[in-house]
Amino acid sequence: MEIMKIEGLRVFAGKKEIVKGVSLSIKKGEVHVIMGQNGSGKSTLLNALAGHPKYSVEGKVEFEGKDLLSMKPHERARAGIFLAFQTPNEVSGVPLSSFLRQAYSACHGKEMSVAEFERLLEEKMSLIGMDKAFASRGVNEGFSGGEKKRSEILQLAVLQPKLALLDELDSGLDIEGLAKVMSALGKIRQKDASFIIVTHYARMLRGLQPDAVHVMKNGKIVASGKAELAYKLEERGYAWIGDYS
Ligand code: ADP
Ligand code: MG
């Protein structure tokens, strides 16, 4: 069953067209990867799917059969879409645990008692190997690059979205940091959950077994294939793709 169906999606910032007609179909439980050079429109695509108010859109996107583009950002989150940012924001003064508890009730439409939530949080933190002390620190405040990314994974683990949009979870990480993030992602992955992952590195995908890899160029998907495509791209760059120059 399809969880998301994108047809001819165009995304504009003011008059500038950034995403120029993207069509993609994602089934429940599938992992899709989007690669492509900087500036090709990957982040804009994910932001538009999450409902970022900065962009206007044309085309059609269905999420579980519903018209996504007419939904407000919080309605999309409530419906089960989660966006992890390329550069996660700091929210100083708000402890990570309170932030996550609020996010949980916003996404699931139900409150959890503080004690109950603390238990859930502790379980997820230990699962992904994150020190408990982070729970009482301000959201991402003074977190290192790797710690910020792990706090995004923690959000993912707590919120358990149906579709996670992950924008360059690997950016700014050293090899060890990347391994930790990927192992955390592997541990929290639920078999019904779907992912769209933007990355520059095929090695990011080991263990995740993507169902499809797409290459974006200048606002369009110019190639799609299986996981091998990612490894080929890492080895040879983008130039060998006919449409890529
Ligand atoms: P990627 O994530 O693939 O590196 P982006 O989606 O961030 O690419 O950006 C694609 C292009 O759109 C870039 O040229 C970028 O400068 C431009 N762009 C993105 N957002 C805006 C905006 N709000 N206003 C104007 N241009 C934008
Ligand atoms: Mg980007």
Side-chain angles (χ1 to χ4, degrees):
M1 198 189 77
E2 268 154 8
I3 184 143
M4 186 181 262
K5 197 165 176 210
I6 305 173
E7 284 176 305
L9 180 65
R10 300 166 74 194
V11 184
F12 302 81
K15 288 210 172 79
K16 185 177 172 190
E17 185 174 9
I18 301 171
V19 174
K20 302 173 180 171
V22 161
S23 299
L24 252 182
S25 189
I26 296 146
K27 294 202 179 77
K28 209 169 170 177
E30 281 187 344
V31 175
H32 285 238
V33 174
I34 300 180
M35 301 178 85
Q37 283 167 347
N38 288 331
S40 54
K42 307 179 298 295
S43 295
T44 304
L45 173 64
L46 297 195
N47 286 330
L49 293 175
H52 198 297
K54 192 161 70 175
Y55 302 103
S56 57
V57 291
E58 280 177 21
K60 195 170 150 196
V61 182
E62 282 184 357
F63 183 70
E64 295 194 305
K66 283 177 293 214
D67 174 20
L68 185 80
L69 297 181
S70 66
M71 291 160 78
K72 301 219 158 59
H74 72 272
E75 293 169 332
R76 300 184 196 201
R78 176 73 66 92
I81 295 180
F82 170 91
L83 172 65
F85 292 108
Q86 187 166 352
T87 27
N89 291 323
E90 296 193 12
V91 191
S92 64
V94 178
L96 184 59
S97 59
S98 326
F99 172 80
L100 288 174
R101 195 165 83 90
Q102 276 172 26
Y104 183 91
S105 67
C107 288
H108 293 277
K110 60 177 183 206
E111 289 277 333
M112 225 190 230
S113 76
V114 174
E116 205 183 341
F117 188 75
E118 295 287 303
R119 268 200 303 279
L120 173 74
L121 192 58
E122 215 165 283
E123 178 208 322
K124 300 297 182 192
M125 289 183 97
S126 103
L127 182 67
I128 68 172
M130 200 169 171
D131 194 295
K132 270 198 312 201
F134 283 102
S136 50
R137 283 173 61 178
V139 177
N140 292 326
E141 206 178 350
F143 286 22
S144 74
E147 288 163 356
K148 279 185 186 169
K149 299 288 173 163
R150 254 189 300 160
S151 111
E152 294 281 300
I153 303 271
L154 179 63
Q155 253 192 83
L156 204 57
V158 167
L159 300 179
Q160 300 193 346
K162 292 175 185 165
L163 174 66
L165 311 172
L166 308 181
D167 196 358
E168 295 198 36
L169 264 184
D170 44 24
S171 79
L173 293 183
D174 56 24
I175 292 190
E176 201 179 327
L178 182 62
K180 278 187 187 161
V181 163
M182 291 320 296
S183 129
L185 195 55
K187 281 181 191 148
I188 62 151
R189 181 170 168 200
Q190 310 233 320
K191 80 172 190 329
D192 276 356
S194 312
F195 290 83
I196 303 179
I197 299 179
V198 167
T199 183
H200 287 297
Y201 303 107
R203 61 174 173 265
M204 159 105 185
L205 306 171
R206 291 209 173 91
L208 268 184
Q209 293 170 330
D211 297 282
V213 174
H214 311 281
V215 183
M216 265 186 97
K217 183 198 171 187
N218 193 17
K220 291 186 175 142
I221 292 180
V222 295
S224 294
K226 300 271 175 207
E228 297 78 54
L229 179 56
Y231 297 110
K232 226 163 153 178
L233 287 169
E234 191 165 65
E235 205 179 301
R236 302 197 200 166
Y238 292 104
W240 63 275
I241 293 180
D243 240 349
Y244 228 103
S245 53

